[in-house]
Amino acid sequence: MAAGEHADVIVVGSGFGGAVAAYRLAAAGRSVVVLERGRSYPPGTFARSPSEMSRAFWDPGENLYGMFDVWGFRGFDSVVASGLGGGSLIYANVLLRKDEAWFVRDEPLPGGGHEHWPLTRADLDPHYDVVERMLGATPYPLDRPAYAGTEKTHAMQDAAAELGLSWRLTPLAVSFAPAPGAEPGIGLPIEPGPYPSLHDAPRRTCRLCGECNIGCNDGAKNTLDHTYLAAAAHHGADLRVLHEVRAIRPRAGGGYEVDYLVHDPDEPEGERRPRRARPVITMSCDRLVLAAGTYGTAFLLLRAREAFPGLSDALGTRFCGNGDLLTFLLRATDRGRVRPLDASKGPVITSAIRLPDDLDGVPGSGRGAYIEDGGYPGFVDWMVEGADTSAAIARAVRFLYERFLTFFDKAPDTNLSAELSELVGSGALSVSSLPLLGMGRDVPDGTLRLNGERLETAWTTRTSEAYFERVRKTMQRIADVLGAEYADNPTWFRKRVITVHPVGGAPMGRHAGEGVCDSYGEVFGFPGLYIADGSAMPGPVGPNPSLTIAAMSDRMCTRLLETGDAGVPRGSGRAPTSAGPAGGGGDGATCDLSGSGGSAGRASLDGRTSLSFTEEMKGFYREGVRNPGVPGDRFAFRLTITVDDVDRFLSDQDHLARAEGWIDAAACGGRRLVERGWFNLFAPGGAPDRRLMRYRLHFTDGMDRPRTLSGWKNVFHGPPTDIWPATTTMYFRLLEGHVPDGHDDTAPVAGAGTLHIELGDFIRQLTSFRTEGPDGMAALDRFARFFAGNLWDVYGPG
């Protein structure tokens, strides 16, 4: 790629905003380059086997270039996408328009200021029309024979009728019929569309597999790579995958410069370079469209703030999670019999119940919301039976998942079984269970900011408590109508939510004192710089945001093309010449849970079998206190726990393993290497019904002072709902010096803190188990039995 390359337009990101902009501007004759950090995913290439799923996360620092980018913040967790097509790769296809009354005007916020939408539904309706046609929006065809037997859809309709609530089939960007106007049918070849496909792969109509959120291998989803991006490429747009933008700035004389690097997942392991060591390439443009997603765009603008003097102080404000809430209905019944809901049969979402808002003229109703039926793939059978693994690996994988699930399923009065099974497999999610997905008008009073090179948030569910309680109560009423038990998400005990719809951070407004950009997405004070993703939302959309983001981008492009080049100096006019790498493979070798036979980190040459896994925890630390629990500064660690000899580990009373990795805390001088570390799993706790998970880490802080982290998790008898907090919460003290075990009581204490395993890190931990040696699968089997058995000893009835 030549230095000094120039394009009329650079689009950062290929999600709903970026893909629409790429097509509209390329079709108008502009030279357009799309820089997408992730891979391309043709039908048939989405992860399905255990080995593929273990690599399906986005973390280039760990050589992971997958589709799921999992974020953990102080008050919530979030999952977004990385790949050509952005969020369309993992969204549930829903194309609902923002409710007309929900375009609020000067609605007060609890901490001061107002939510204000500087445009109306009428402004967007023509653009909604265009996007719906392009994405092939169609209601779920419940009235057609091939799709009429979707039980969860009928159940939602029945519940809404019983409760007197509004219900509708949601418009979906899914091909149920092989061509427009044809009879819908399952698994039929889809006729080619108006633009040549980006992928040389056949597409088939929806086969009701519930796999929408993990990538549609049939190509039934009308994702952006099959629609807008295909059209953009047809009109000459240059789509570059594995190109990650790292910096932006104004260019002397007008326009903008973009710094990016190119990832190479296929780079040989011995030659692999960290992100910071990869060459940075600079490209210029006349117009720059930021469509990197809420987190990506906010990060780029916050990082570049000094290069954009006068950028609005609204940057980083009006953040929220669009009211996202995940719950579960379990064991539905009808007149004493099991009521089948078949959540794994169908698209992930087929219908929606709407809760009215005060703004709709229903006083006292509160903030409005949508509740949608959820779905999931038949995860254990899907992952094991379809995996390209040996029978022994399949049996071990099945046992590890089912051992955990069986324990939680048998535990009395627990509301964790369904949620945990959703995380690690659907063995406990029976035919009579159903996830419910809520979204709506939570309070957009969160902020995004940088802490060094990390994006942080200040947003919790507290100011939206009335909204979330209303949604939960309605979900409980739906459960009652369907004769089902209701279960919260496992993180709700700490009032945490999981959002897949983060919005805000670079909100639009009427002027620079209110927003970062105007209602067309153009940044105040910087002509030719546009924002075309969820970060531009000044508050929650309410329903699923994808359609609104795309419509706003279409409106932005109409305005841009109508105003021509006024106020934006033109560049050299040279068209881009290089398409860059096309992406693909390079998953690398893994083992055990990932099923492909890699390394546990240390060769086992003497006949022993070793096992390892990775654990990441985050929380707070306060200097000068002895007791954990006092809020303080951010503190985190990431450890690889290695059992050198599984047989010896299981027979030893202390169950001792090695701990290697790093701790990261400003109070300790940033990221510090663990020089020596130990971990005890279920060590005796001084009583028959108490166990300890103990950590001892020796390191040296930034002032060259030796320190010891002495940490513990208390696993003691109590209700089964204590399992999650007990096994994911660690209390610790920092001791002065490298203190031997048994001498904590006499060692000076530097401070204390509390850490938690966040949801995204827990998911990764489940996929990180590795073994090496002659007895790997059997060793994993024994380890799983030991872990689950100890939990049963503590929490089981007795």
Side-chain angles (χ1 to χ4, degrees):
M1 234 168 290
E5 190 178 8
H6 183 89
D8 293 337
V9 184
I10 294 176
V11 179
V12 182
S14 63
F16 287 95
V20 171
Y23 162 59
R24 289 291 312 277
L25 300 178
R30 304 293 194 269
S31 62
V32 177
V33 172
V34 177
L35 300 178
E36 165 57 52
R37 64 177 181 169
R39 305 171 182 264
S40 175
Y41 290 94
T45 64
F46 292 101
R48 289 297 184 268
S49 72
S51 60
E52 291 168 344
M53 286 301 293
S54 73
R55 308 293 299 174
F57 297 95
W58 176 263
D59 188 351
E62 299 296 326
N63 195 38
L64 295 173
Y65 301 93
M67 187 169 61
F68 298 102
D69 189 6
V70 183
W71 295 70
F73 295 111
R74 180 178 298 186
F76 66 100
D77 301 291
S78 191
V79 182
V80 294
S82 177
L84 189 65
S88 74
L89 299 175
I90 67 170
Y91 85 139
N93 320 300
V94 176
L95 300 177
L96 283 170
R97 301 187 182 198
K98 180 175 174 65
D99 299 74
E100 185 171 3
W102 295 4
F103 286 83
V104 300
R105 298 284 189 274
D106 294 319
E107 185 172 73
L109 298 174
H114 298 79
E115 178 186 349
H116 182 96
W117 287 73
L119 76 172
T120 67
R121 169 70 176 266
D123 293 327
L124 281 184
D125 272 337
H127 306 283
Y128 279 137
D129 292 341
V130 170
V131 174
E132 287 169 348
R133 286 195 297 269
M134 190 73 167
L135 293 178
T138 183
Y140 184 64
L142 189 65
D143 61 336
R144 309 313 299 165
Y147 297 98
T150 313
E151 298 289 352
K152 64 176 184 174
T153 315
H154 292 293
M156 290 287 283
Q157 185 178 21
D158 292 346
E162 181 74 18
L163 297 173
L165 297 172
S166 172
W167 172 89
R168 66 175 296 184
L169 294 168
T170 50
L172 301 176
V174 176
S175 292
F176 299 104
E183 176 67 19
I186 294 174
L188 303 176
I190 297 173
E191 295 181 9
Y195 299 103
S197 172
L198 290 181
H199 314 297
D200 186 19
R203 299 175 61 200
R204 294 185 176 274
T205 57
C206 178
R207 60 182 176 87
L208 306 177
C209 63
E211 297 177 6
C212 307
N213 292 141
I214 55 176
C216 180
N217 271 333
D218 296 297
K221 289 178 65 173
N222 301 330
T223 48
L224 296 168
D225 49 336
H226 298 312
T227 53
Y228 273 104
L229 293 171
H234 175 75
H235 287 287
D238 185 352
L239 312 179
R240 304 183 183 182
V241 297
L242 294 167
H243 282 53
E244 182 180 8
V245 173
R246 300 297 294 161
I248 59 173
R249 58 188 168 273
R251 184 178 59 152
Y256 299 91
E257 291 182 337
V258 173
D259 293 342
Y260 65 90
L261 52 84
V262 181
H263 293 293
D264 182 7
D266 298 320
E267 195 171 45
E269 187 170 352
E271 302 173 17
R272 204 168 284 152
R273 294 167 292 176
R275 189 182 330 196
R276 66 175 63 90
R278 294 187 177 277
V280 174
I281 303 164
T282 300
M283 185 177 182
S284 62
C285 60
D286 300 319
R287 288 185 174 87
L288 176 59
V289 177
L290 298 179
T294 291
Y295 300 134
T297 290
F299 175 80
L300 287 172
L301 287 172
L302 286 165
R303 202 165 182 244
R305 194 161 205 161
E306 291 186 5
F308 289 87
L311 194 62
S312 170
D313 289 339
L315 179 61
T317 67
R318 299 292 182 269
F319 176 83
C320 68
N322 200 55
D324 283 3
L325 183 68
L326 170 66
T327 65
F328 301 88
L329 308 186
L330 311 176
R331 294 176 279 277
T333 59
D334 183 12
R335 293 186 290 273
R337 297 183 178 182
V338 170
R339 174 166 188 159
L341 298 177
D342 283 335
S344 61
K345 181 183 179 182
V348 167
I349 293 171
T350 63
S351 67
I353 292 173
R354 184 183 185 275
L355 304 185
D357 192 294
D358 285 336
L359 299 171
D360 299 322
V362 185
S365 57
R367 301 174 77 90
Y370 283 82
I371 297 174
E372 299 169 351
D373 57 281
Y376 54 85
F379 197 89
V380 173
D381 290 339
W382 153 76
M383 187 175 72
V384 177
E385 302 300 338
D388 183 17
T389 59
S390 69
I393 292 177
R395 285 194 299 271
V397 172
R398 178 182 293 279
F399 174 78
L400 181 64
Y401 279 82
E402 293 187 345
R403 181 68 174 178
F404 281 95
L405 297 178
T406 299
F407 166 72
F408 289 115
D409 188 48
K410 289 180 179 178
D413 301 321
T414 177
N415 65 354
L416 295 180
S417 59
E419 296 92 332
L420 289 174
S421 65
E422 177 67 4
L423 297 178
V424 299
S426 66
L429 280 175
S430 70
V431 71
S432 59
S433 300
L434 178 69
L436 290 181
L437 308 169
M439 63 201 73
R441 288 212 316 120
D442 57 353
V443 177
D445 58 351
T447 60
L448 297 172
R449 59 179 178 266
L450 284 186
N451 182 357
E453 284 293 294
R454 295 175 181 269
L455 188 68
E456 291 188 343
T457 69
W459 182 81
T460 72
T461 60
R462 283 192 207 97
T463 53
S464 300
E465 187 170 357
Y467 161 82
F468 283 110
E469 282 307 305
R470 181 191 184 198
V471 175
R472 290 178 67 243
K473 296 281 187 199
T474 306
M475 290 173 166
Q476 289 168 0
R477 292 171 65 202
I478 293 172
D480 292 340
V481 168
L482 298 178
E485 300 171 23
Y486 170 86
D488 280 314
N489 182 290
T491 62
W492 185 254
F493 78 95
R494 284 195 284 143
K495 293 296 187 287
R496 292 177 68 88
V497 295
I498 306 165
T499 179
V500 293
H501 301 133
V503 293
M508 61 177 63
R510 291 165 288 188
H511 48 77
E514 183 177 79
V516 175
C517 59
D518 64 19
S519 67
Y520 294 95
E522 189 166 22
V523 175
F524 290 114
F526 296 92
L529 177 61
Y530 292 87
I531 299 173
D533 57 28
S535 67
M537 304 298 156
V541 175
N544 316 62
S546 306
L547 178 63
T548 298
I549 293 170
M552 285 187 171
S553 182
D554 190 74
R555 180 173 182 264
M556 173 195 81
C557 292
T558 298
R559 173 63 173 267
L560 187 158
L561 294 170
E562 286 175 349
T563 58
D565 300 322
V568 182
R570 299 288 290 172
S572 67
R574 288 176 288 148
T577 56
S578 172
D587 280 346
T590 57
C591 181
D592 185 300
L593 262 176
S594 53
S596 60
S599 170
R602 173 174 291 192
S604 182
L605 302 176
D606 56 1
R608 298 178 297 173
T609 299
S610 64
L611 177 147
S612 71
F613 62 92
T614 299
E615 181 174 66
E616 187 161 355
M617 302 191 74
K618 301 167 186 172
F620 301 96
Y621 165 75
R622 172 65 63 87
E623 287 189 326
V625 300
R626 287 189 59 86
N627 296 320
V630 181
D633 298 323
R634 189 185 64 83
F635 195 103
F637 70 49
R638 182 170 184 172
L639 301 177
T640 296
I641 308 296
T642 303
V643 176
D644 290 319
D645 184 340
V646 173
D647 288 335
R648 182 174 178 179
F649 173 86
L650 296 177
S651 62
D652 180 13
Q653 176 177 292
D654 290 329
H655 311 299
L656 184 66
R658 289 186 291 112
E660 301 167 299
W662 45 258
I663 69 100
D664 190 359
C668 299
R671 185 167 294 190
R672 313 301 297 175
L673 187 69
V674 174
E675 296 161 20
R676 295 185 69 196
W678 301 266
F679 170 71
N680 300 89
L681 179 61
F682 295 133
D689 58 355
R690 185 170 187 259
R691 306 283 192 277
L692 292 177
M693 299 185 194
R694 300 174 59 205
Y695 299 74
R696 181 167 295 272
L697 310 176
H698 289 179
F699 66 96
T700 302
D701 71 9
M703 299 177 66
D704 291 328
R705 297 175 299 188
R707 290 287 185 262
T708 298
L709 183 151
S710 177
W712 64 96
K713 295 177 185 175
N714 281 315
V715 181
F716 52 87
H717 186 69
T721 49
D722 287 346
I723 295 171
W724 175 264
T727 56
T728 60
T729 303
M730 188 191 83
Y731 307 97
F732 71 95
R733 292 190 178 100
L734 279 194
L735 309 177
E736 297 180 6
H738 288 167
V739 180
D741 191 19
H743 292 74
D744 289 13
D745 291 342
T746 59
V749 177
T754 304
L755 303 180
H756 300 280
I757 300 177
E758 297 180 352
L759 179 61
D761 299 323
F762 174 69
I763 295 171
R764 294 195 187 197
Q765 181 173 334
L766 287 174
T767 65
S768 71
F769 282 80
R770 305 287 186 268
T771 64
E772 175 146 347
D775 196 23
M777 294 303 102
L780 181 62
D781 185 322
R782 295 194 299 277
F783 181 86
R785 291 176 185 273
F786 166 75
F787 188 93
N790 271 271
L791 288 181
W792 183 255
D793 288 344
V794 174
Y795 291 103

